[in-house]
């Protein structure tokens, strides 16, 4: 397997951390985000979304970070991290979908304001942060309530859901 990634991005770090957690052997192909290599024709042939990461396993190409984690876990039989049991898998899938639809977009606003803008010489916009704060605390409360009942998001051991949920918030 080859993973096309630049660890500067949240979703690439998620995949790289997830593959390490799953003990998946792979070759990393660096796609320089700041040089916009993810927008070049060769990369667009792999991922028409012009975003990183992407995975190539022979002639099979997959993009979307959570799908990459699911595929890798299934391919290598990492059932403890992505169980086959229907209810446990549905629970993990719920958190993976919640991460991509709710948690990541909200955390991303904080990442841009507090990390990216200062790197580019700009200041965070307090209005943007204030506008996101209510939703962030609501979402963080959902996650906190879940973790109050379990040591890990989906039970007594870490799964790919834990990797996905941690990725967008680790820099905050």
């Amino acid at each position: 397997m080859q993973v096309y990634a630049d660890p500067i991005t949240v979703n690439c770090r998620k995949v790289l951390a997830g593959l390490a957690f799953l003990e998946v052997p792979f070759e990393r192909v660096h796609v320089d985000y700041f040089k916009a290599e993810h927008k070049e024709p060769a990369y667009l042939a792999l991922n028409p979304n012009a975003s990183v990461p992407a995975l190539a396993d022979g002639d099979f190409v997959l993009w979307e970070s959570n799908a990459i984690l699911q595929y890798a876990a299934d391919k290598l039989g990492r059932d403890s991290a992505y169980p086959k049991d229907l209810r446990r898998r549905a629970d993990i899938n719920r958190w993976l979908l919640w991460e991509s639809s709710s948690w990541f977009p909200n955390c991303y606003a904080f990442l841009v304001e507090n990390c990216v803008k200062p790197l580019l010489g700009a200041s965070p916009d307090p209005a943007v942060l204030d506008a996101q704060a209510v939703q962030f605390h609501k979402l963080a409360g959902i996650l906190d309530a879940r973790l109050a009942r379990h040591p890990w998001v989906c039970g007594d051991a870490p799964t790919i859901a834990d990797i996905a949920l941690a990725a967008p918030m680790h820099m905050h």
Side-chain angles (χ1 to χ4, degrees):
M1 284 191 270
Q2 295 178 308
V3 175
Y4 294 79
D6 186 338
I8 196 73
T9 75
V10 170
N11 285 323
C12 288
R13 282 193 307 277
K14 177 199 309 182
V15 166
L16 296 173
L19 295 179
F21 166 66
L22 295 168
E23 299 179 339
V24 174
F26 68 95
E27 172 192 351
R28 187 175 67 148
V29 179
H30 187 74
V31 178
D32 193 308
Y33 184 79
F34 285 119
K35 291 182 181 175
E37 290 177 356
H38 59 294
K39 296 180 180 179
E40 293 179 5
Y43 185 77
L44 289 171
L46 293 172
N47 187 347
N49 294 299
S51 63
V52 285
L55 174 139
D57 187 11
D59 63 352
F60 178 66
V61 176
L62 186 63
W63 30 267
E64 289 300 318
S65 57
N66 289 340
I68 291 169
L69 295 179
Q70 292 167 313
Y71 175 79
D74 276 341
K75 179 172 180 160
L76 287 129
R78 305 299 195 250
D79 294 349
S80 63
Y82 193 48
K84 301 277 190 234
D85 175 78
L86 183 61
R87 289 185 178 190
R88 295 219 42 229
R89 184 167 279 214
D91 191 30
I92 292 167
N93 288 341
R94 168 201 6 220
W95 289 102
L96 293 173
L97 292 166
W98 184 80
E99 182 272 335
S100 66
S101 67
S102 299
W103 186 239
F104 175 82
N106 188 261
C107 288
Y108 190 73
F110 291 92
L111 173 72
V112 168
E113 292 302 317
N114 293 322
C115 299
V116 176
K117 282 186 173 181
L119 284 174
L120 300 174
S123 297
D125 183 341
V128 171
L129 295 171
D130 289 345
Q132 294 295 320
V134 170
Q135 181 67 359
F136 175 81
H137 289 290
K138 173 189 169 194
L139 297 172
I142 292 168
L143 187 54
D144 192 47
R146 178 62 174 234
L147 289 169
R149 297 190 329 252
H150 304 285
W152 299 95
V153 173
C154 294
D156 295 329
T159 69
I160 60 174
D162 295 284
I163 299 294
L165 290 163
M169 68 177 177
H170 84 279
M171 293 180 69
H172 309 307

